[in-house]
Amino acid sequence: MVLMICVLLTACVKQQILERINLFIVAGFDEISRDQLEVTLAVPQFQAGKPETVTDQMYSRTGHTSTGIRDTIATQMDKPLQPGKLSVVIFGSAKAASGLKKELDILLRNAYFSRKIYLAVVEGKAKELLSEDFSKKDEKGMFLYQLLDSNTRKGALPGQNLHEFEYALVGKGMDSFLPILQFHNDRIAVTGTALFHKDKYVAALDLNQSRLMKLLLQDMNQGFYEVKLDNGLFLAVENVGSSVKYHLKNKAITINLSMKGKIREAEGYPTSDEHLRSLTKRFKQQLIQEETELIKTFQKNAIDPLGLGDFARSRTRHWNEEDWMRQYPMMNVDVDVQVNIMESGIRQ
Amino acid sequence: MFTIPKMWEEFRESSDFVYLRQSNKNEQYLICFLKSITDTNTLNEQILEFISANNGLHFNELFEELPIAEKELSSDWDAIRNKLLVGYVAVQHAASAQTILLNASISKGRTVSKPEIEFNVEGSKEALVESLDVNLNLIRKRLPVASLRIKELQVGDLSKSRVVICYMEDITNEQYVQTCLQRIGDIQFDTISDITIIQQIIEDNSNSIFPQMLGTERTDRIVWGLTLGQVCILVDGSPNAILGPVTLEHFFTSYEDYFLPWIIGSIIRMIRITSVLFSILASAVYVAVLTYHGHGISNSFLPTIIASRINVPFPPVVEVLIMELAIELLREAGARLPSKIGQTIGIVGGIVLGTAAVQAALTSNFLLIIVALSAMASFTTPVFRMSNTIRILRFPFILFAQMWGLLGIFLCSVIVVTHLLRLTSLGMPYLVPFYPLRLKGLTDTVIRPPYSKLHHRPGFYRTKNPVRYDNRKSNLKKDIDE
């Protein structure tokens, strides 16, 4: 009896033998027109016995729903298409600007997709970026995955994976953001941060601003910051440990940032105690100024990627999102910075 | 002058039966024995010599004076026959209806040698041999206390095997002894040539692939078991003994663990348990992941697996079964052949076949690693019968993995665990002390504790005396001036 059930039930699960399916690690979404979508998949082609040489085959189709497009793409393939390995999804900037709700729904609804998928916005079209030959060694999807992983999750730039993006999107009092990818001079690079209002891409930050934004998002122990001195000299300070705390008092938010730093580059600048003190002061002023400007930018666009609203919600009884958003652009957000230069290197 | 009595007729058919007449003037003796099991030195120098030297003694006086320790006077034909069959010499006199039986038996066997199966680096190199008396001697020597009881039974209509049950009178629970005695007494099988036959017959569940008695050839392990409250069963002719009751955990315990410092011993024990799990699950997980859960493989690992699999024409399950069968083949061939050829087989099979199979794209080198590793891992099991069980247990797991993926592996483990829960060893639950949970019994399971923590016997043996020593009184390592 048990054996019978075993035999009869075996057809109930779909078998997908790993090398007999087509996987894709990266997918790109572009907007063609209001209801037309273009999906680009980079499908890795493996070679027997040579795990180090993986080439990509690009498949691209337009249609109304991405599931429908996947179906038409599958008609060109010799093996069934399996979406389970998708790790990076990139959106063309036009697509991002017109909203990502529909695409997110596909990713979130299907249990095949990992919640740790990296999302990114492409300067230009995703299809064009994917068709460039930017990765000499790795498979394109793998390369993009590692690029985003080392720069955003493990690096000094802000970025969100699918789960975090959705959390910020659905959560009250916060907005989401994604890294911006750009193809330039044969290389792909993270060039900034795309800020979202709801699911729409509304503003962009450059690389420096992105770094400063991550300082306010979480405690960090890496990243380099340039200090401009009065005499026009630039110094580089490495962050060896920074912590950030928000305080809410009388409907005004104070952000306390304290950072321990090491001087990494100071050619032509004496590192005596006195000079260090003035450097510290200069660096502190610069940070306060830049961070305040950054927050002003957020307020101007009425977006809240830092999640200040969410923080206020956790400290306020009967918090109301509408009220908050009405106040937010005018709100007084103070940035208080403590800088401690711990060492100036092993050279006098 | 008397003729050979009728009763010897059935022996005369055997060529090793000797009967000789010895006449001393007016006394005439008929001496019979089986020369294959009789010591001719004893016969010549002690028995025949004595009879010819003491001419004129009365038959009964002769019996009294014969310088042999084990002697009997009997007229019962059955008794005479049985004694003759184990090496006694029968001496008859024409004037007497009785027969003198003198023990002149000789047993030929190998001498005590090194353990072959449960080999160890440290500790004694003494293993049981085929002769029961030698084995008992080895055990008695290690436990010179009167409370070591040895009960002997005879089993098997044809083999008439001597089966011995050893236990500690003041420690072992009476129930286990009685169970063993009763089950062994009830054995109906005609030839008991080895202890494993007894083990299979008296086990609580004879249809289980899990052994419910622990076979061992190490005398120190037997003594350890006896002092904990286990019963030991030996049979004449088998160089192994079985200990019972046991729990599943005992099969992953090597006695050598007790010779190592407790931290090292514990780590080795944990490695062994992990490797057993690996051995059971590795190839099944390979099948499940490659057949159903490809998206569970990390990105960096993906090219390696796919590139090694891409030219293999079989689905993963066929590939795995072929490789597993090949390994079983190697193992079986290696075990059946003399050890010198066995090595060659290992090299030819392992290296040549393995490389060729990968080059011919019959298997992926990734699987080759998994299969070889899991085969190696299964050898870490210190008890041979359990390592057999583990190598068989892999196959249902692989089939379930093929049918339902990881869910199938889970289902199969549910079935196996359920089976283990139902098993008992001489009435003791097989999974104790994990289930039913006996916290104090957990002391010596995954971790091999230091001897300062081994002051009590595990409670689940229900021993008559749970205390090994009084740990309050023990104060070793005193300072000399204290």
Side-chain angles (χ1 to χ4, degrees), chain B residues 96-359:
Chain B
S96 172
Q98 287 196 308
T99 306
I100 300 177
L101 292 165
L102 302 162
N103 187 0
S105 70
I106 186 170
S107 67
K108 295 259 164 67
R110 63 191 172 100
T111 48
V112 177
S113 57
K114 284 183 181 178
E116 298 278 324
I117 307 164
E118 290 168 84
F119 180 77
N120 61 332
V121 182
E122 287 196 64
S124 85
K125 307 271 187 298
E126 186 182 84
L128 296 182
V129 292
E130 282 77 2
S131 160
L132 180 63
D133 293 318
V134 175
N135 292 346
L136 291 177
N137 170 280
L138 294 176
I139 295 172
R140 246 315 167 206
K141 256 195 321 200
R142 282 173 181 267
L143 276 177
V145 284
S147 62
L148 171 65
R149 296 291 148 86
I150 297 176
K151 292 254 154 81
E152 187 169 324
L153 296 164
Q154 202 186 57
V155 180
D157 293 340
L158 293 180
S159 67
K160 308 256 184 248
S161 307
R162 293 163 63 204
V163 179
V164 155
I165 299 173
C166 311
Y167 61 97
M168 303 294 286
E169 174 60 30
D170 54 348
I171 299 170
T172 314
N173 189 328
E174 200 63 36
Q175 196 190 328
Y176 300 139
V177 181
Q178 293 307 326
T179 314
C180 285
L181 281 173
Q182 188 208 334
R183 286 188 189 167
I184 291 171
D186 287 347
I187 289 177
Q188 290 296 327
F189 202 66
D190 54 358
T191 36
I192 305 290
S193 54
D194 195 72
I195 193 76
T196 45
I197 297 175
I198 292 189
Q199 179 180 355
Q200 289 171 57
I201 296 173
I202 69 167
E203 270 174 347
D204 295 30
N205 180 353
S206 298
N207 296 326
S208 172
I209 60 167
F210 288 92
Q212 295 138 57
M213 300 282 256
L214 186 125
T216 182
E217 57 169 353
R218 299 187 56 86
T219 46
D220 44 10
R221 187 163 193 167
I222 293 173
V223 168
W224 178 263
L226 287 174
T227 55
L228 282 180
Q230 285 176 320
V231 178
C232 173
I233 304 171
L234 299 121
V235 64
D236 198 17
S238 165
N240 282 301
I242 51 174
L243 288 168
V246 284
T247 71
L248 181 64
E249 184 272 328
H250 283 113
F251 291 93
F252 307 112
T253 307
S254 160
Y255 192 64
E256 202 179 2
D257 297 348
Y258 293 98
F259 300 147
L260 298 169
W262 75 272
I263 297 177
I264 299 175
S266 304
I267 291 173
I268 291 178
R269 207 178 261 194
M270 283 183 240
I271 290 175
R272 209 178 287 133
I273 293 170
T274 325
S275 65
V276 165
L277 286 177
F278 177 84
S279 166
I280 296 174
L281 295 177
S283 28
V285 169
Y286 175 85
V287 171
V289 168
L290 261 69
T291 313
Y292 295 101
H293 316 287
H295 44 268
I297 304 173
S298 86
N299 280 344
S300 43
F301 208 30
L302 206 61
T304 322
I305 294 183
I306 295 187
S308 75
R309 270 280 299 162
I310 203 152
N311 278 348
V312 179
F314 314 111
V317 65
V318 178
E319 188 196 2
V320 167
L321 285 178
I322 290 176
M323 285 320 291
E324 290 283 356
L325 285 176
I327 287 268
E328 294 304 322
L329 215 79
L330 272 178
R331 177 150 40 182
E332 208 48 38
R336 298 289 155 255
L337 283 167
S339 60
K340 277 179 189 155
I341 308 176
Q343 267 182 6
T344 324
I345 288 282
I347 293 167
V348 171
I351 301 172
V352 179
L353 272 185
T355 324
V358 171
Q359 277 170 358

